[in-house]
Amino acid sequence: VTDGAAALVLASAEAAQRLGLPILGIMRGQADANQAPEWFTTTPALAAPKALERAGLGQDDVSFWEVNEAFSVVDLANRQLLGLPEDRLNVHGGAVAIGHPIGASGARIMVTLLNVLHTHGGKYGVGAICNGGGGASSVVIEAGPGGSRL
């Protein structure tokens, strides 16, 4: 069990500018997918390509990936199914190492991914998470100009 918290503020560019908030990332695409519940660990590999398509991007455009590692097999299975390079997936460790506090996993993934993009000079990142019952969600983000504040 992991204790922790994460928070995100979603705002339009206009609102962020008006309020003087740094734009750490820009959401470019989002998608959900589902399949039979017993295959929930591999469903991020279905959601991520859909999110990339909605963003008008391909896998080659992605600098880094964060896939929630609720079980260690999730990272391995999705890396294999998507053909991801090991050095671009969960580069600061997955949820087995970092943790995924209940109710904050998605936010933790996004905050980690934004940090990785800005720390390592990446442009686009994909975050994905299986959410039980056979479902998964994925988000494509672009590093924003305010990342120097991380």
Side-chain angles (χ1 to χ4, degrees), residues 68-79:
N68 190 50
E69 192 181 49
F71 304 96
S72 57
V73 70
V74 176
D75 177 342
L76 299 171
N78 287 280
R79 185 174 70 209

Side-chain angles (χ1 to χ4, degrees), residues 8-123:
L8 299 168
V9 175
L10 299 177
S12 67
E14 296 79 18
Q17 186 176 29
R18 185 177 72 252
L19 297 169
L21 300 173
I23 298 174
L24 303 179
I26 302 160
M27 186 182 297
R28 295 297 184 196
Q30 181 279 332
D32 294 311
N34 61 41
Q35 60 184 343
E38 62 268 23
W39 296 106
F40 78 96
T41 57
T42 61
T43 312
L46 302 176
K50 289 181 181 182
L52 283 167
E53 183 179 339
R54 290 182 178 171
L57 299 170
Q59 272 190 224
D60 291 340
D61 297 310
V62 179
S63 303
F64 295 99
W65 300 74
E66 280 290 321
V67 175
N68 190 50
E69 192 181 49
F71 304 96
S72 57
V73 70
V74 176
D75 177 342
L76 299 171
N78 287 280
R79 185 174 70 209
Q80 181 180 22
L81 289 169
L82 292 167
L84 303 179
E86 189 174 340
D87 64 342
R88 300 289 181 176
L89 174 62
N90 296 348
V91 297
H92 289 174
V96 171
I98 298 172
H100 63 114
I102 300 301
S105 294
R108 200 280 303 156
I109 288 168
M110 289 294 102
V111 170
T112 299
L113 184 55
L114 285 166
N115 187 21
V116 168
L117 288 171
H118 288 288
T119 301
H120 299 285
K123 183 170 183 177

